[in-house]
Amino acid sequence: VKFKILIKSVKPLLFVLIFTAVINLFFTTGESAPLVDWKFITIYKEGIRSAVMMLLRLLSLVLGSSVLISLTTSPLELTDAIESVLSPLKLIRVPVHEFAMMMTIALRFIPTLIEETDKIMNAQKARGSDFSIGNIFERAKALVPILVPLFISSFRRADELAVAMECRCYNCDGERTSYRRYRFTKNDLYALIALVVLCAVLLVIKVVQ
């Protein structure tokens, strides 16, 4: 995966990342003397540390999700993995297959909903709507003409999908077989060992701090 593609996945959430870092920077107090104390602005060493750590956590979450879900692993493979990992919960009657199926459908329809949103926004712009002017409340109010048809379209697609599944006699009950059978290989073992070591290191750092 190219680094440029990873940066693009962070762009839509850049405002949220910066806002979270700023909130932690200015609203985290500490026991030591403040590094900056000017009028209503007070910055502590603990605030800088909290802002950096929170920014790194959110970046790790966004990048990890992008790499796993949209850049390297197909939704079907991810669903099979979820169902396989959660399969022991079947012993206590947890509907694992239904949960995995919901994950598959949700992941499958994310690009469709994004495309539908883009079409609705272009249609509204063609009618003279402008979503970039006004304060935050006016911009939020301008999104209502987008959200209403988007919800209607989503419910219609969900109803059509349910009818199509019923017409094909889809049933979640009973044992099901998989088209692809995944085997535990050496690479999986290496990845598992690396994950355990990483978790152990993070735990030690947390305890030491």
Side-chain angles (χ1 to χ4, degrees):
V1 179
K2 295 182 179 180
F3 184 74
K4 187 186 295 186
I5 298 177
L6 293 178
I7 296 299
K8 286 184 178 180
S9 66
V10 178
K11 259 187 170 182
L13 297 174
L14 190 60
F15 174 77
V16 176
L17 296 175
I18 296 175
F19 180 76
T20 306
V22 169
I23 290 295
N24 282 271
L25 179 64
F26 291 111
F27 290 92
T28 301
T29 58
E31 299 178 355
S32 59
L35 300 177
V36 177
D37 191 2
W38 179 72
K39 293 185 179 181
F40 59 90
I41 299 177
T42 305
I43 300 176
Y44 293 87
K45 179 176 67 176
E46 290 81 1
I48 297 176
R49 178 180 174 277
S50 177
V52 172
M53 292 301 296
M54 184 59 67
L55 186 61
L56 290 176
R57 287 173 181 171
L58 291 177
L59 276 175
S60 300
L61 179 63
V62 173
L63 292 176
S65 302
S66 299
V67 170
L68 178 64
I69 296 176
S70 59
L71 298 178
T72 60
T73 310
S74 68
L76 290 178
E77 290 176 338
L78 190 61
T79 304
D80 290 340
I82 293 173
E83 187 171 1
S84 177
V85 170
L86 299 180
S87 57
L89 296 178
K90 293 180 181 179
L91 299 175
I92 56 176
R93 298 182 181 277
V94 174
V96 175
H97 178 73
E98 287 86 340
F99 177 74
M101 177 58 65
M102 287 189 294
M103 287 288 297
T104 305
I105 295 173
L107 293 173
R108 164 63 183 82
F109 276 97
I110 287 176
T112 305
L113 291 178
I114 294 176
E115 183 181 356
E116 189 78 17
T117 303
D118 188 55
K119 288 181 180 179
I120 295 173
M121 290 185 68
N122 290 334
Q124 294 293 340
K125 288 179 181 178
R127 290 170 174 83
S129 299
D130 193 350
F131 305 103
S132 59
I133 60 174
N135 55 36
I136 187 171
F137 298 104
E138 292 175 347
R139 292 185 183 183
K141 187 177 180 180
L143 291 177
V144 174
I146 297 176
L147 296 177
V148 172
L150 183 62
F151 273 107
I152 294 175
S153 175
S154 301
F155 288 132
R156 190 187 72 249
R157 289 180 184 275
D159 185 62
E160 291 175 353
L161 179 62
V163 172
M165 293 174 70
E166 289 179 357
C167 290
R168 289 165 174 79
C169 300
Y170 179 80
N171 189 2
C172 293
D173 298 331
E175 290 293 328
R176 302 181 64 86
T177 58
S178 300
Y179 178 71
R180 294 182 178 87
R181 297 280 183 170
Y182 297 101
R183 304 295 181 187
F184 195 83
T185 62
K186 289 183 179 180
N187 291 334
D188 298 318
L189 179 61
Y190 297 151
L192 181 61
I193 293 174
L195 180 62
V196 172
V197 171
L198 177 62
C199 292
V201 171
L202 293 176
L203 183 61
V204 170
I205 293 175
K206 185 69 176 178
V207 171
V208 170
Q209 289 178 348

